[in-house]
Amino acid sequence: MMLFSELAEYYDRLESVSSRLKMIDITTELLKSADEDEIANIIYMTQGVLAPPFEGVEFGVAEKIVEDAIVVATGYSKQDVEKDYKKQGDLGLTAQSLRSTSKLKRMNTKNNSVNEVHGVMLGIARTSGPGSKDAKIKMLANLMAAGTPLEAKYMARYPLGQLRLGLGDSTILEALSKASTGERNFKAELERAYNLCSDLGLLGERLFKDGTKSIEGFRVALFKPIRPALAERLPTAEEIIERMHGECAVEQKYDGFRCQVHKDGNKIKLYSRRLEETTEMFPDMIKAVKDEVKADRIIFEGEALAFNEATNEFFPFQETIQRKRKHGIEEKVEEMPLHLFAFDLMYLDGEDYISRPYKDRRNALEGVLRGSKLIVPSTQIITSSPKELEKFFIDSIGDGLEGIVAKDLSAPYVAGARKFSWIKMKRSYRGELSDTLDLVIVGYFLGRGSRAEFQFGGLLCAVYNGAKDVFETISKIGTGFTEEQMKEFKRMLDGIKVKSKPPRVDAVMEPDFWVYPKYVVTVKADEITKSPTHTCGKERMPDGIEVGYALRFPRIVGEGTVRQDKSAEEATTTKEVIEMFRQQKKVGVGD
Ligand code: AMP
């Protein structure tokens, strides 16, 4: 049985190292010392959550609650707590230092186990309604008062979602592999299983209880969202047909939001591209699934678009996205009902379809949707002619769509990966890269001149290098912000500031402040160029200088700030940037 104080020691060690390899070693050691009935909780806690993220269990704890809990647990006044927080910028550090100088004795010097702390935290999350604020403060304060100052640090950060350990899924998977087999190479098998269930805690538990065989035999399951397959990109119809070795399916590409549907009889759940449960947001879709899908048990996915009843047209993305909301759902259902263009099938009435060829999946999907109205199969052609593909593409654009996605007829569904079994081609604008990039913010600059008053002068942004599991910088974005955006960025980024460069960030350029890689922004640029100031895809030149890729004229897309539907690891990858660079030369963008 692991004590929370031991877990806190591991976290403290994790925070103090600056290399990814050391992080893996410490995490491996941590996992190895866990029992089988606590491994799942330890993994969730280390991820900074209470349960697999798709279950959406939220703490419902604001900073004020943590501040009040620190007051109760330390005997200091509210003003003392606020003053210290202002100084240190991190309630975890405030909890730690005030606990260590507190005149209050450790109240009930009970050494809480990891499972006990998890249980109380779950209790805090489940407490709602009138009086819940005080109840939450009391529960949290009791935990803090019973523990060491180091425990208090993480007990303050955990419910705020600010553990700041910097461990990605990939690090945890590698550590799980080493903890269970002593080797790194079981990671691939674990990754396969993870792509099918999106639940690291479950994998850890299976592994510790039933051994590696249970991972090798892992299959998709209802209500465990599958990590979505992603598309590669190519610029021309010829290249697509060549890459597909002739005949392939070509589907219209809809610009709405991705939706994964799980149905077991009358129980139906929906998951977003980021695998968050969105069932409550779309009652009309649930009804349509009930009414139209001819299957008892099924997992399938598609792109949801809002339909404008008045004009008999689909709404564009910016408006469709308004359907993703937590309040005022009923009115929106009337105003802009959803249609779902189904494009893949993963499971049907006891049969796993993931590993079956696209052709079979599509046939079965068309079978269960026969005669349906709101949930229809995506429009598709099958062709081996570049000319025909090009025409379908032009027609799709003419219909106001984004482009097409070509699909390999014999490929399985490749969960959680970007492979050439799906290839997208989008319309492009002259003088601009045809595709936007989703970049992770890793730091920010202070404002100078007229911007000084906002204390915000721009962002340092990175892409994700999946092979190395690091974030490599590609751009400093310093222009094109509205005053509102500057204020908002400053506010959000101040909440995740870190003292030094996070271990998984690779950078040459030094921002005024580093931040924990968390927020993703969508960026447009004119061109990808080579530059020694960025580390994305860096290569050593014969003269010894390292040169990476950078963006020319980068600017943030849209009026908002960050993308809520993507995590840091879901940002554009280094590999994609290299491919975009290659393609831009080919089509001569900017000429
Ligand atoms: P992108 O976001 O540009 O990488 O394009 C991939 C996204 O296109 C997927 O995640 C889906 O949400 C969306 N999409 C729209 N239509 C289709 C389709 N027919 N097949 C696959 N994905 C589609």
Side-chain angles (χ1 to χ4, degrees):
M1 183 197 67
M2 192 186 290
L3 294 178
F4 189 75
S5 55
E6 295 170 65
L7 186 63
E9 296 283 347
Y10 280 113
Y11 288 173
D12 195 44
R13 281 170 61 198
L14 276 171
E15 268 195 86
S16 70
V17 297
S18 57
S19 97
R20 180 175 178 268
L21 287 180
K22 291 217 180 79
M23 285 173 86
I24 293 173
D25 287 345
I26 298 168
T27 313
T28 305
E29 209 186 303
L30 156 64
L31 297 177
K32 263 170 117 167
S33 51
D35 289 342
E36 59 179 43
D37 66 349
E38 60 192 7
I39 180 77
N41 284 343
I42 288 177
I43 291 176
Y44 297 139
M45 290 169 105
T46 307
Q47 286 182 289
V49 292
L50 283 161
F54 59 81
E55 287 186 8
V57 184
E58 286 179 17
F59 282 97
V61 168
E63 283 187 354
K64 289 274 168 263
I65 291 185
V66 176
E67 285 177 7
D68 285 346
I70 298 174
V71 169
V72 177
T74 61
Y76 278 98
S77 70
K78 183 93 184 201
Q79 285 87 330
D80 291 334
V81 171
E82 279 171 357
K83 205 168 130 211
D84 190 87
Y85 176 35
K86 221 172 191 148
K87 196 174 89 201
Q88 308 217 57
D90 173 354
L91 277 175
L93 294 178
T94 297
Q96 183 178 19
S97 38
L98 298 192
R99 259 312 297 162
S100 66
T101 54
S102 166
K103 307 240 165 7
L104 293 185
K105 290 264 166 340
R106 273 173 80 172
M107 281 193 213
N108 42 357
T109 43
K110 177 176 179 310
N111 289 320
N112 279 309
S113 71
V114 163
N115 275 350
E116 281 165 332
V117 172
H118 182 269
V120 175
M121 291 286 182
L122 205 55
I124 291 176
R126 291 198 176 132
T127 304
S128 61
S132 65
K133 189 167 156 249
D134 289 340
K136 284 178 197 250
I137 294 169
K138 199 163 161 214
M139 285 191 263
L140 191 57
N142 275 341
L143 276 186
M144 284 184 187
T148 60
L150 193 62
E151 284 180 79
K153 171 177 168 184
Y154 297 106
M155 284 164 176
R157 284 184 183 177
Y158 181 36
L160 291 174
Q162 295 176 355
L163 220 41
R164 306 182 203 209
L165 299 177
L167 290 182
D169 295 348
S170 172
T171 318
I172 296 179
L173 284 167
E174 192 160 333
L176 261 181
S177 170
K178 286 176 98 177
S180 58
T181 67
E183 312 272 343
R184 298 176 51 171
N185 50 18
F186 194 63
K187 185 186 170 202
E189 199 56 49
L190 281 164
E191 214 156 44
R192 185 196 71 86
Y194 179 50
N195 284 334
L196 299 181
C197 71
S198 314
D199 186 342
L200 287 174
L202 174 73
L203 291 187
E205 190 167 285
R206 285 268 182 99
L207 196 55
F208 277 38
K209 284 192 176 154
D210 309 317
T212 51
K213 279 267 168 311
S214 69
I215 301 297
E216 280 154 2
F218 206 91
R219 293 276 169 273
V220 294
L222 278 157
F223 310 111
K224 295 275 174 202
I226 299 161
R227 289 167 60 80
L230 303 170
E232 281 283 357
R233 51 166 84 67
L234 283 174
T236 64
E238 285 78 21
E239 280 175 90
I240 291 177
I241 295 291
E242 193 187 315
R243 185 79 208 207
M244 290 288 187
H245 306 293
E247 196 170 71
C248 60
V250 186
E251 300 183 10
Q252 290 191 321
K253 186 173 193 299
Y254 308 91
D255 195 11
F257 51 87
R258 194 166 181 160
C259 193
Q260 195 178 115
V261 182
H262 288 234
K263 171 185 191 296
D264 183 356
N266 279 333
K267 179 176 171 192
I268 296 164
K269 287 190 178 189
L270 307 176
Y271 301 95
S272 71
R273 187 202 137 96
R274 263 194 85 172
L275 310 178
E276 285 152 344
E277 203 193 317
T278 50
T279 313
E280 303 295 323
M281 290 184 198
F282 309 120
D284 48 337
M285 189 100 90
I286 301 293
K287 181 170 185 309
V289 173
K290 249 182 221 164
D291 294 347
E292 299 190 344
V293 179
K294 292 173 216 55
D296 274 339
R297 283 176 297 149
I298 188 169
I299 305 175
F300 70 101
E301 72 175 347
E303 189 86 354
L305 284 186
F307 192 69
N308 187 343
E309 299 272 353
T311 62
N312 223 18
E313 279 175 346
F314 287 101
F315 280 111
F317 177 73
Q318 290 305 340
E319 282 161 66
T320 289
I321 205 71
Q322 293 182 31
R323 278 299 316 266
K324 282 196 88 170
R325 49 165 57 213
K326 290 189 174 150
H327 306 287
I329 293 169
E330 290 305 321
E331 298 94 81
K332 286 286 167 193
V333 167
E334 295 273 315
E335 231 177 279
M336 32 183 15
L338 286 178
H339 287 226
L340 185 71
F341 290 95
F343 56 72
D344 223 312
L345 173 73
M346 293 85 133
Y347 172 91
L348 177 60
D349 291 334
E351 296 240 12
D352 185 347
Y353 270 74
I354 284 266
S355 46
R356 298 224 196 160
Y358 169 86
K359 258 190 320 240
D360 294 6
R361 300 200 306 277
R362 174 83 192 191
N363 272 340
L365 184 64
E366 287 177 4
V368 297
L369 295 179
R370 196 146 290 139
S372 59
K373 290 199 178 62
L374 295 170
I375 303 182
V376 295
S378 55
T379 306
Q380 178 226 45
I381 59 165
I382 293 192
T383 183
S384 55
S385 144
K387 266 217 175 77
E388 217 177 313
L389 196 158
E390 181 73 18
K391 182 171 181 311
F392 187 69
F393 173 73
I394 303 280
D395 290 347
S396 300
I397 303 265
D399 289 346
L401 299 172
E402 236 194 336
I404 55 98
V405 188
K407 301 193 172 171
D408 181 337
L409 292 168
S410 53
Y413 183 90
V414 196
R418 195 178 294 284
K419 287 279 155 66
F420 278 99
S421 48
W422 285 14
I423 306 174
K424 63 184 172 181
M425 182 163 84
K426 294 208 219 174
R427 67 193 150 179
S428 84
Y429 306 96
R430 270 182 69 83
E432 284 183 347
L433 285 175
S434 60
D435 225 338
T436 54
L437 292 95
D438 294 320
L439 305 181
V440 188
I441 304 171
V442 296
Y444 74 89
F445 299 87
L446 292 179
R448 297 194 175 75
S450 65
R451 283 153 165 240
E453 63 172 304
F454 297 107
Q455 296 178 306
F456 176 82
L459 302 168
L460 181 61
C461 293
V463 291
Y464 180 57
N465 184 330
K468 295 189 188 157
D469 189 27
V470 295
F471 299 96
E472 299 174 336
T473 74
I474 184 168
S475 192
K476 174 185 173 181
I477 305 176
T479 52
F481 300 102
T482 61
E483 290 184 5
E484 283 309 303
Q485 277 176 321
M486 287 197 243
K487 276 190 213 150
E488 184 62 9
F489 272 122
K490 176 82 170 56
R491 190 190 63 75
M492 293 177 94
L493 297 176
D494 277 348
I496 54 166
K497 259 197 293 203
V498 284
K499 290 216 167 75
S500 54
K501 186 173 73 57
R504 284 163 73 225
V505 172
D506 184 8
V508 185
M509 194 180 260
E510 288 259 343
D512 291 315
F513 291 103
W514 294 104
V515 300
Y516 173 76
K518 172 173 180 180
Y519 294 124
V520 173
V521 286
T522 299
V523 172
K524 225 177 195 330
D526 282 7
E527 206 185 348
I528 296 172
T529 56
K530 293 214 163 187
S531 156
T533 48
H534 290 290
T535 53
C536 165
K538 69 181 176 197
E539 272 182 311
R540 194 174 288 278
M541 295 290 121
D543 57 6
I545 294 175
E546 290 197 321
V547 173
Y549 293 90
L551 300 181
R552 207 167 116 87
F553 299 131
R555 58 235 179 236
I556 303 262
V557 178
E559 288 149 29
T561 47
V562 306
R563 273 189 74 137
Q564 301 292 353
D565 63 333
K566 285 207 172 175
S567 68
E569 281 86 3
E570 283 171 319
T572 300
T573 62
T574 304
K575 217 173 121 212
E576 286 179 90
V577 171
I578 296 173
E579 187 50 30
M580 286 165 85
F581 179 71
R582 192 187 69 79
Q583 290 184 17
Q584 119 193 318
K585 280 209 288 203
K586 214 172 221 161
V587 295
V589 169
D591 287 342

